[in-house]
Each structure stands twice: as structure tokens, then as C-alpha cells.
Amino acid sequence: MRHRRRRVLQGRILLFGLAVLTCPGLTASQQEGGITADRAIDKIIAKENELIKKLTEFRPLVETYIQNLAKDESLGAVPISDKYFLSRLDVKAGLRGQSLLDRPGEKKFHLNRTVVFEPDGFASMIVIDAKGFTRSNYTFRFLRREFLGDVRCLIFDIAPVKRQAGRFTGRIWVEDQDFNIVRFNGIHGPPPKLGEPLLWFHCDSWRQNAGPNLWLPSYVYSEETEDPKLNFKAQTRLWGYNVQKRTDLNEFTAVLVDSGTVRDAPEAVQDVSPLMATRAWQQQAEDNIIRRIEETGLFAAPGAVNTILETVIRNLEITNNLDVQPEVRTRVLLTSPLESFTIGHTIVISRGLIDVLPDEASLASVLAHELAHIVSGHNPNTKYAFSDSLLFDDVETLRKIFVRRDEREEAQADAKAAELLEKSPYKERLKDAGLFLRAMSDRIRFLPELLRPHFGNSMVRGSEVVRLASIMQAAPEVELKRHDQIAALPLGARLRASCAFCGFFLPVSVRVVGVIRGARITRA
Ligand SMILES: [Zn+2]
């Protein structure tokens, strides 16, 4: 935090320097990658403004998770409350979000009497300056070349010519092929001061390559820790750029083009037994629900993560002599709240839950509970086999799809899961899974939003962990100060440690393969 502030300060000192010396560190004739730095700046500005225009074609999902912190003598800072927003972003309407959450009217979050967080405010940190990124408004100073991951970048410090609200001060990383900004770090106004009508927060904003010459905003980390009354960290993720509006008439063209490999096979239609017909009907419900959640953009494209999840499931099946048909599939829900649930023979686990699980045995415990639902015959509601039940606007998805289980089925799945784990190779390693659940139970009071599921059953009830409670009870107490006990680590503590890029959180797409598949170009 402190170093970030220092960078911003550098930016401001720079501003004065520039006013006097016109162009320190960079001359119009200086060659950078075959072109002059002056020409590079023109290209950067043009590219950024092109991106702002391009973004109006998309309606990505944007998720913001905020943790408010308090100082703790031995642990540094500890979370004391949290807040969550999930919306579909409309850039055309001026970076406005349409909430997917079932909490209408609750569009803001009152941190205290003076500070109100607005989801659109966090979303606005995906661009440098939506209305005035021009040469006359900004000064640039070239610093050096640097690799960001494997992307070769030019780094500039930039500052506004005149201090105005919404004008950005800080550092930009620009890839040196097409001059797209791939990361920026700084603040869109003066540092926040309580009592002011509008506060700007420091941000570290990342973009991801989503196709030739296309870098789209994917991740923003933000924090303020100077003032005890304004002490928080937040992360905003964006994805689902490829999801098309369902009403898009061009989709019809795409269907015609894509349908070459799909053929109706009338010869396959045969008389089926009532049991087979029931299965087919349930399968229809399962496929419909999954397809609908996919269309909203809430599932990651299947990738390497699914292979890992399915390997753990196979391990559980083999050691328990189970032959589940059709084979159990998995999907990753791209949101942060910790949850897992089952739709027919598809197990869904949230990205947030995958991120905090400390090891394979903990993952196996979560998957065992879901596998238990499947082997116990807990089927999806077949009302979803009727297509009309899934015709609704994307922002209604969380409100219209109901896959929660009743308490009897939950208890049954827990009992069965304990049985499956007992015979599994994970049996001896369940201590960490129990520790994870215990750590979760310690935080329930403070982090209700992280533990509030979108679709599935909550893993907690009131202030108690109910999911897999027997595994938790077998684990030792959590000692937060002991580093050899790695239990639940909300908001990316582990990601922070594992980030190869920057020592910060890892952008989601690096961990979950294939999140952004780029703009669709299948149209004829
Ligand atoms: Zn369950």
C-alpha cells in the first residue's frame, strides 16, 4: 500500500517536472521499439480510446467483493465485515451495472456514516479516463521496458495536466506490439479524504489478451488502509465478454453456420422403457439448467481445472466400487462466494471455493458431498425439462433457477460423503479439510457475503458450519498464528503468495483456464 502511494506521489512530482522541463526522460526523437516515444504515446492514446468504444459492444459480468478491515495486534489486519456485488455491465449506458442479486434496492453499501460504496464506482476503474484521455489532458514520462509475465511492455508514468475529478495519476504498462495498455496502477482523483462528497480509491487494474490486438479489462485490485475509518481491500473481476445478447438476431446466422455437424438422427428414436424415459427427462432438465447458466456467462469453459476435479471424483468412485452412469461431469461457477451444488450428474463448484481449499483432501471432501447427492438419487426438478421455465433475462438467472436441496437430503449427503471418504485414499488426510471448515466457522460472523451461495445450499447455518460437520469436529482447533496450519484463506491470501506476475492476487483467468474466450467470430 505504502509503495503504491509513493508511486502516485512520483506521478505528481512528475507533473510539476514536466510543466517546467517539457519532456524529462523522453524526447520526441527517442526511439522505442523502432518508433519514437512521441509516436508511441499517440498510439497508446488512440488504442485506449478505441478500447472504450469497443467495450460498448460487450456486456460482461462484473463482480466486486469488499472486505472491511480492522487492525489486529498480532495478525496485522483482520476482516470485520464484507460486501458483494454482481452485475451485468453496460458500458454504453456509461459503465452502469444491472444487479443479478436478489436484493433489489440494495445497490450501495454504507461502510459507515460517511462512506457509501457503489458497485459502478468499482467498475469504473477498468479504464484510464472514459471521457478525456487525450494529449492535451495528460503528460507522459517514459520509464523503462519490463516484462509483465511473458508480455514485453513499455512503462510510462502519466499525470493530468490539470487536477480534475476522474483524471488518472499513476503508471501504465503498454505491450510493445500494438500499444494496448495491459495494466495501470494509481488513482482517478485525489487520495480519498473522509467528508469529501466523492472519493477515489487506489487501484491496480489488469487486462487480459482476448484475441489479436484485443486486451479486455479482467481484474481490479483496490485498497485503502491509511485511515482506520476507511480501511478495506476489494477485488473486482470481469468476464463473459463473449456472451451474446440472447435477443441478438445475428445469433440465428451463427446457429445456421454452426449446425453443420449436428444432425437429427431419426433412426436413433426407439421405444424406451419407462425408467429410461424418466432418466432422459431428468437429463433434459439437467442439460437445460446447465445451458442456461452457461448462456448467462456464469460458467468457465471446461478446461484443465475440470480434469483435476474429475480425477478426484474418479478416485472416490473407484475406491468405493461405484460405477456412476452417465459419468459425473463438473463445471466451475465463476463467482467468489464459497459454494458447491449438483445438477443431475453435474457437480458445480465455485471459483471462490476452489481458491480457498487448502489441499486435495479438502477438495475431495467437498466433491464427496456432491457425489453423495448423485449416488443417493437426488435429481433436478424436472420442471426445467420444459424450455419455457428457462426463458428469462440473464440478470434474473439467480432468482429463477432453484437447485437447492432440503435439509433431509443435505443430511443424507453428508452421511454418505463420510462413508465415501472413509474408503477413499483421502481418509488419512482429512485433518486439513477439517481445519478449513473450522477456520470457516471462525469467520462466519464477519464474512456473511463470502458464505452466501448463489445457487447451492449454504455450508453454514447461523453461526455454525453444517456441511461435513463430522470432519470439522475431528480436526484440531485453528491457531491463526501458526503458519503450519494453512486453513481457510479468504480474499486471496494464498493467491497472493502464488502470483507469478506481481506478488498481488493472480488474475482469475490465469488460474481458471479459458475464462475469456474472446469475441465470437463465427458469424458468416
Ligand atoms: Zn448438498
Side-chain angles (χ1 to χ4, degrees):
M1 163 61 209
R2 220 172 264 154
H3 73 273
R4 223 203 311 265
R5 180 155 282 217
R6 211 174 296 139
R7 271 183 201 170
V8 175
L9 273 176
Q10 273 174 9
R12 250 189 245 121
I13 290 160
L14 178 81
L15 166 66
F16 296 115
L18 284 175
V20 182
L21 299 169
T22 53
C23 220
L26 157 76
T27 64
S29 61
Q30 191 176 336
Q31 294 279 313
E32 263 317 318
I35 65 166
T36 62
D38 207 40
R39 180 85 186 97
I41 292 168
D42 283 339
K43 286 190 172 219
I44 293 164
I45 290 173
K47 274 285 162 202
E48 181 68 8
N49 286 314
E50 223 172 83
L51 172 73
I52 290 164
K53 214 160 134 202
K54 183 94 193 152
L55 282 175
T56 60
E57 291 171 21
F58 301 109
R59 293 210 288 172
L61 292 172
V62 51
E63 178 195 60
T64 297
Y65 179 61
I66 307 163
Q67 280 183 353
N68 293 305
L69 309 167
K71 282 219 166 82
D72 180 277
E73 298 240 318
S74 51
L75 296 167
V78 290
I80 47 167
S81 67
D82 66 347
K83 186 62 198 171
Y84 181 81
F85 301 117
L86 180 65
S87 9
R88 187 175 60 185
L89 189 65
D90 193 343
V91 179
K92 214 183 248 171
L95 289 167
R96 297 250 165 261
Q98 250 183 309
S99 180
L100 270 77
L101 301 181
D102 193 17
R103 287 160 248 170
E106 196 200 284
K107 282 213 69 183
K108 299 169 175 182
F109 173 51
H110 292 257
L111 173 66
N112 49 43
R113 257 183 231 159
T114 45
V115 181
V116 181
F117 287 135
E118 287 189 39
D120 294 347
F122 285 95
S124 73
M125 294 193 264
I126 62 172
V127 291
I128 297 257
D129 187 333
K131 289 185 185 134
F133 193 49
T134 62
R135 221 154 165 151
S136 56
N137 284 337
Y138 284 92
T139 56
F140 289 73
R141 180 182 173 232
F142 174 69
L143 293 180
R144 60 176 181 274
R145 286 171 176 280
E146 188 180 280
F147 274 91
L148 206 57
D150 54 6
V151 181
R152 206 172 55 192
C153 289
L154 307 172
I155 303 179
F156 291 84
D157 273 346
I158 71 169
V161 170
K162 248 191 255 158
R163 284 188 72 179
Q164 277 174 315
R167 296 271 185 263
F168 178 81
T169 307
R171 185 160 295 180
I172 58 173
W173 283 253
V174 183
E175 51 85 17
D176 70 355
Q177 295 297 301
D178 301 298
F179 299 92
N180 291 288
I181 295 174
V182 299
R183 177 189 178 191
F184 58 92
N185 174 310
I187 193 164
H188 290 82
K193 218 163 86 195
L194 288 183
E196 303 266 319
L198 196 59
L199 303 183
W200 304 94
F201 302 135
H202 288 93
C203 67
D204 193 10
S205 191
W206 292 73
R207 290 172 183 173
Q208 190 193 29
N209 189 218
N213 202 3
L214 181 63
W215 288 78
L216 295 170
S218 62
Y219 183 85
V220 182
Y221 177 73
S222 177
E223 71 171 32
E224 292 298 335
T225 55
E226 294 283 283
D227 186 332
K229 287 198 188 119
L230 183 69
N231 190 358
F232 73 90
K233 52 184 177 177
Q235 56 186 16
T236 297
R237 297 168 193 275
L238 294 99
W239 70 85
Y241 286 95
N242 56 323
V243 177
Q244 300 230 321
K245 272 184 282 177
R246 285 159 58 75
T247 50
D248 191 345
L249 285 177
N250 287 318
E251 189 76 351
F252 189 62
T253 326
V255 169
L256 289 180
V257 173
D258 291 345
S259 64
T261 54
V262 182
R263 278 191 318 123
D264 279 338
E267 66 273 17
V269 178
Q270 293 167 351
D271 287 340
V272 288
S273 69
L275 181 64
M276 281 167 74
T278 309
R279 281 211 190 120
W281 194 235
Q282 284 162 351
Q283 185 70 47
Q284 182 72 61
E286 173 181 339
D287 292 347
N288 283 355
I289 297 170
I290 287 164
R291 190 167 174 174
R292 189 64 193 85
I293 297 175
E294 199 165 49
E295 282 171 349
T296 300
L298 287 166
F299 279 154
V305 173
N306 299 79
T307 312
I308 296 168
L309 297 175
E310 282 153 28
T311 304
V312 173
I313 293 167
R314 296 291 104 81
N315 288 345
L316 289 167
E317 286 176 346
I318 291 166
T319 46
N320 280 278
N321 287 321
L322 291 172
D323 179 24
V324 183
Q325 292 301 334
E327 258 190 16
V328 177
R329 298 177 293 177
T330 59
R331 295 307 295 262
V332 174
L333 186 72
L334 285 165
T335 45
S336 292
L338 314 187
E339 67 178 307
S340 65
F341 55 96
T342 301
I343 307 164
H345 282 211
T346 302
I347 293 177
V348 181
I349 179 164
S350 69
R351 183 200 47 73
L353 182 53
I354 293 176
D355 282 349
V356 299
L357 288 171
D359 62 0
E360 191 181 329
S362 310
L363 178 63
S365 309
V366 169
L367 294 172
H369 173 94
E370 302 307 334
L371 182 61
H373 277 302
I374 295 173
V375 299
S376 307
H378 299 162
N379 293 307
N381 189 328
T382 46
K383 79 172 183 185
Y384 296 113
F386 292 105
S387 308
D388 63 293
S389 63
L390 293 152
L391 292 177
F392 46 76
D393 191 294
D394 287 352
V395 293
E396 296 284 324
T397 306
L398 304 184
R399 293 179 271 256
K400 297 281 187 181
I401 294 179
F402 191 85
V403 292
R404 241 155 244 159
R405 297 278 153 208
D406 62 32
E407 280 187 25
R408 189 188 56 84
E409 288 176 327
E410 278 301 283
Q412 208 180 342
D414 267 346
K416 184 77 190 163
E419 225 179 282
L420 296 175
L421 288 165
E422 187 58 33
K423 288 191 206 146
S424 80
Y426 305 106
K427 186 191 167 195
E428 306 300 327
R429 290 186 278 149
L430 291 177
K431 196 189 94 188
D432 283 342
L435 269 176
F436 162 70
L437 292 164
R438 266 203 198 283
M440 188 160 54
S441 100
D442 288 348
R443 310 245 171 142
I444 293 172
R445 282 181 302 140
F446 305 113
L447 305 174
E449 297 278 356
L450 190 66
L451 296 161
R452 190 199 306 235
H454 288 313
F455 291 103
N457 287 76
S458 182
M459 298 172 81
V460 303
R461 192 190 306 126
S463 59
E464 260 177 77
V465 171
V466 286
R467 180 80 54 92
L468 301 164
S470 63
I471 293 174
M472 178 179 80
Q473 275 139 25
E477 292 292 327
V478 177
E479 292 175 51
L480 287 172
K481 282 161 224 164
R482 272 183 56 185
H483 295 296
D484 58 330
Q485 281 192 347
I486 43 157
L489 303 159
L491 205 64
R494 190 159 57 103
L495 297 191
R496 184 178 286 204
S498 67
C499 176
F501 269 7
C502 56
F504 269 131
F505 301 122
L506 204 55
V508 59
S509 50
V510 181
R511 284 180 63 84
V512 181
V513 177
V515 176
I516 299 171
R517 280 163 288 174
R520 255 171 78 163
I521 42 169
T522 51
R523 279 179 219 157

